[in-house]
Amino acid sequence: MQGYKDRRIIVTGGAGAIGGSLTAALAEAGAEVIVVDDLSSSSRWGIPAQRNVRFVEGSVVDDGVLAAVFREQPSHVFHLAALFANQNSVDNPERDLEVNGLGTLRVLQHAQRSGAQRVVFASSGCAPYGSDPPRPVHEEHLALDVHTPYQATKLLGELYCNYFCDHSAGHEGLSTVRVRPFNSYGPGEVPGRYRNVIPNFVYWALRGEPLPITGTGEETRSFTYVGDIVDGFLRAGAAPAASGEAFNLASGEEIAIIDVAKAINEMTGNRAGVRFVERRAWDTQRRRVASTDKARRVLGFEAHTGLREGLARTVAWFRERWDQIEAEARF
């Protein structure tokens, strides 16, 4: 990806699944990358060990940590640090507001003061669109019927981005781009109570346990491979026309949960099948598929990794890292 060579770039949440892959891609593009992560939901080994990657352990809520890293005047900021995700926010709403709300505000403030050219904010594919969006959902469809604090604070982050981009308190506007990843999966995500369905499915399948499905299994999502998501982030950071805009980053496919479970069981040789469990109170969206027309038109984005290929890579990563993953998985 052009546009990042010899640039100094901050990636918050750079030890996470998307953040680690994004950091690796930026380093390979010739950027000097500063990763800021408090390791509250990730591990040090998730950060690429490349000579042009530097790690600063700390929270985006910590003003002193941010002051120190932004003193180096980055050209770009990719803000992925967050309290993830829906159930975690239900259990810990104040922490969710602190990290996702105040943390985002402080990152934007420091980015503006340091003269950063652009901030790319990782929003969410579930936050802006409500419980019953059209299919496929376009970026212009916004709803306020949120069902978790996480959805509320991701919307708050988007609103702060709009504010800073347009007219932040008399200062010169800060170029911001909001990206909305849909159901990212792939190497790098350690399973756990608050993690996504695919890493949890792979974990249980490799242990020979039945895969728990909330609901009927006919629920659908736009599962999108992490490498494609990272490509979208890079394009959002580089495209001049992206400033002030929001983009869906998604596969564009509508895939049933039961089909994902069957594919993972097949790939891992798991004969335990599936089991059905009660749906969580906030989990009201039965079907979800995203339009990527705008991202394709403005960014040149297109997801290229099919589900079976992405799942195969994910299972291979689990097998390679099994001892570390098993030691750190928390349910």
Side-chain angles (χ1 to χ4, degrees):
M1 175 64 68
Q2 296 180 346
Y4 296 108
K5 184 176 175 56
D6 298 325
R7 297 295 188 101
R8 182 174 292 119
I9 296 173
I10 290 175
V11 179
T12 72
I18 299 177
S21 294
L22 175 61
T23 296
L26 288 165
E28 290 167 9
E32 177 190 342
V33 188
I34 304 171
V35 170
V36 180
D37 201 304
D38 65 3
L39 303 181
S40 60
S41 61
S42 55
S43 301
R44 177 69 179 83
W45 55 266
I47 302 170
Q50 291 163 276
R51 60 172 181 77
N52 48 340
V53 173
R54 182 153 46 98
F55 172 52
V56 175
E57 185 172 353
S59 170
V60 291
V61 177
D62 189 327
D63 207 48
V65 168
L66 293 180
V69 295
F70 276 95
R71 199 172 294 128
E72 302 198 37
Q73 297 183 309
S75 65
H76 293 71
V77 181
F78 291 88
H79 178 43
L80 287 79
L83 187 82
F84 185 85
N86 286 300
Q87 187 60 50
N88 200 357
S89 73
V90 171
D91 294 342
N92 303 284
E94 292 185 6
R95 182 62 178 161
D96 173 82
L97 177 60
E98 182 181 32
V99 176
N100 298 356
L102 181 59
T104 296
L105 173 60
R106 286 182 171 166
V107 167
L108 290 165
Q109 288 175 320
H110 281 278
Q112 184 179 65
R113 292 168 188 158
S114 70
Q117 296 175 19
R118 177 163 293 181
V119 175
V120 179
F121 171 65
S123 184
S124 165
C126 70
Y129 298 130
S131 59
D132 190 27
R135 293 181 299 274
V137 64
H138 293 262
E139 287 84 353
E140 292 73 21
H141 176 87
L142 298 176
L144 296 179
D145 58 331
V146 298
H147 296 276
T148 68
Y150 178 77
Q151 294 172 342
T153 54
K154 281 298 183 180
L155 276 173
L156 176 61
E158 290 211 27
L159 292 172
Y160 274 134
C161 286
N162 286 341
Y163 167 70
F164 275 80
C165 194
D166 292 339
H167 48 258
S168 50
H171 296 283
E172 183 178 349
L174 171 68
S175 175
T176 64
V177 184
R178 295 158 286 136
V179 295
R180 298 167 181 167
F182 276 71
N183 301 100
S184 175
Y185 75 95
E189 185 171 7
V190 174
R193 180 184 179 190
Y194 297 127
R195 305 315 302 178
N196 287 313
V197 62
I198 286 181
N200 287 353
F201 274 3
V202 175
Y203 175 75
W204 285 313
L206 289 172
R207 288 169 58 93
E209 300 178 21
L211 309 189
I213 294 178
T214 58
T216 67
E218 299 303 320
E219 294 82 2
T220 63
R221 297 293 184 264
S222 283
F223 292 104
T224 312
Y225 186 67
V226 65
D228 293 323
I229 295 287
V230 165
D231 178 66
F233 271 86
L234 294 172
R235 292 174 182 275
S243 185
E245 300 291 339
F247 299 96
N248 293 335
L249 300 182
S251 65
E253 295 183 90
E254 186 175 9
I255 302 168
I257 304 295
I258 189 67
D259 292 334
V260 174
K262 289 178 179 177
I264 290 173
N265 276 339
E266 176 190 332
M267 290 180 182
T268 58
N270 181 30
R271 298 180 180 179
V274 302
R275 61 184 177 90
F276 294 91
V277 298
E278 186 177 353
R279 193 190 310 276
R280 294 157 295 190
W282 52 264
D283 193 3
T284 61
Q285 197 167 120
R286 302 296 189 266
R287 297 175 62 185
R288 184 187 305 155
V289 61
S291 167
T292 57
D293 291 346
K294 182 179 178 181
R296 185 181 300 110
R297 185 178 69 253
V298 179
L299 305 180
F301 168 81
E302 188 166 359
H304 295 287
T305 309
L307 180 68
R308 289 195 68 87
E309 179 185 354
L311 289 178
R313 294 178 186 175
T314 306
V315 170
W317 179 80
F318 264 75
R319 293 188 189 279
E320 293 168 3
R321 294 278 194 171
W322 181 249
D323 289 344
Q324 290 171 306
I325 291 169
E326 194 170 34
E328 296 189 15
R330 295 288 182 270
F331 290 93

